[in-house]
Amino acid sequence: MNELNPKIPNHVALIMDGNGRWATQKNKTRSEGHLAGTNHLGSVIETFFNYGVSHLSFYGFSTENWNRPKSEIIGIFSLLTKSIDSELQHIIDMKLKFIHIGSKQRLPGKVRKSLVDMERSTKFSDANGVLSLAFNYGSRQEILEATKRIIDKNLKSIAIDKNVISEHLYTAGIPDVDLLIRTGGEKRISNFLLWQSVDAKFVSTDTLWPDFTGQHVECILNSYNQM
Ligand code: FPP
């Protein structure tokens, strides 16, 4: 919960699901579904932070998404780099710090560069909150990599506690998730922020991601206190 206002979740995690089904319903391609899911991202993000949420983490590309057709993957990468180009100034104006959570390995150079540039450009602008994009992210992979880093440091087992593990995750320094929202109707966690969501409330909404608006955000946040 938010330290200043317990009625507002401090950290919200968002699984954006349903682009493909949205496209099928409208006789469009999956790529058009992803494009529609990208176009309103800025306004949804803005609604969360305007409401008082201070950390928002959203799931752009999972380690499982590598199993999708290559053309779809390339399309998502292209959407990401274009969105970063077009949204960077907006994120700076909103005084948000951007961080990438996930592995940079296997990502094309252009995607890595976009993510790193966005992190650098917003490094000191966290006045209104932190926006984390999970891209090439999977919780098991994250915990595995953290374990390896801890072992590489030759830490004694007695020195390893929950805090040490948290500090070695991609989300080091970010508070645990208070509210996890999934669009598209499924009720699965899908390998997203498992360590960080031990005490999170979970909302699954049938609304498909491209149809999810700031009004949906406000409705969910308004009901957070009654969950
Ligand atoms: C889930 O819909 C969406 C994705 C796997 C990709 C998420 C990407 C975007 C919303 C684009 C914007 C994000 C960035 C970072 C540019 P799905 O394809 O699984 O839908 P389905 O379950 O209906 O098939």
Side-chain angles (χ1 to χ4, degrees):
M1 72 187 78
N2 188 304
E3 281 154 32
L4 300 174
N5 184 346
K7 291 184 179 165
I8 300 175
N10 195 22
H11 184 179
V12 178
L14 186 57
I15 301 176
M16 311 176 286
D17 195 19
N19 294 348
R21 276 164 287 161
W22 181 91
T24 305
Q25 283 174 8
K26 297 202 156 27
N27 233 353
K28 294 177 186 278
T29 63
R30 292 183 64 81
S31 297
E32 287 175 298
H34 292 318
L35 178 62
T38 307
N39 286 339
H40 69 324
L41 199 50
S43 69
V44 171
I45 290 171
E46 207 171 320
T47 310
F48 276 107
F49 286 103
N50 284 344
Y51 199 97
V53 167
S54 56
H55 291 78
L56 176 67
S57 302
F58 61 111
Y59 211 178
F61 189 81
S62 71
T63 45
E64 288 69 32
N65 285 156
W66 288 106
N67 297 324
R68 295 194 176 208
K70 201 170 172 197
S71 58
E72 186 176 343
I73 295 175
I74 290 171
I76 293 175
F77 289 170
S78 162
L79 277 177
L80 174 72
T81 51
K82 283 185 190 149
S83 307
I84 289 184
D85 282 349
S86 63
E87 286 299 312
L88 176 59
Q89 193 53 48
H90 190 199
I91 300 296
I92 292 173
D93 292 344
M94 279 196 281
K95 296 190 170 53
L96 296 177
K97 175 176 171 167
F98 171 86
I99 61 167
H100 166 229
I101 54 176
S103 170
K104 297 233 172 20
Q105 280 174 20
R106 209 174 159 186
L107 290 175
K110 203 172 166 200
V111 173
R112 280 207 301 267
K113 183 174 180 319
S114 286
L115 292 167
V116 171
D117 285 350
M118 182 106 158
E119 284 182 323
R120 281 199 190 124
S121 311
T122 62
K123 195 168 180 180
F124 301 108
S125 62
D126 62 350
N128 284 334
V130 178
L131 176 67
S132 311
L133 170 64
F135 206 84
N136 194 17
Y137 175 89
S139 263
R140 286 189 168 176
Q141 178 74 19
E142 176 182 39
I143 294 168
L144 185 68
E145 282 184 22
T147 308
K148 287 183 180 178
R149 280 201 293 274
I150 291 168
I151 290 171
D152 286 346
K153 284 186 180 168
N154 288 322
L155 287 182
K156 291 238 171 354
S157 61
I158 194 154
I160 301 172
D161 59 14
K162 283 181 276 188
N163 289 335
V164 170
I165 295 181
S166 293
E167 282 158 18
H168 286 80
L169 299 174
Y170 302 127
T171 52
I174 292 182
D176 279 351
V177 175
D178 299 301
L179 174 63
L180 173 60
I181 302 171
R182 180 174 188 133
T183 65
E186 290 194 42
K187 296 180 175 64
R188 292 184 294 125
I189 312 288
S190 296
N191 202 10
F192 190 40
L193 298 175
L194 300 181
W195 176 275
Q196 299 85 344
S197 298
V198 276
D199 204 25
K201 294 173 178 176
F202 180 63
V203 171
S204 167
T205 166
D206 287 336
T207 308
L208 302 174
W209 173 250
D211 293 328
F212 190 78
T213 64
Q215 278 175 320
H216 294 96
V217 172
E218 283 175 0
C219 186
I220 292 172
L221 292 176
N222 286 340
S223 63
Y224 171 74
N225 216 30
Q226 275 84 51
M227 286 175 201

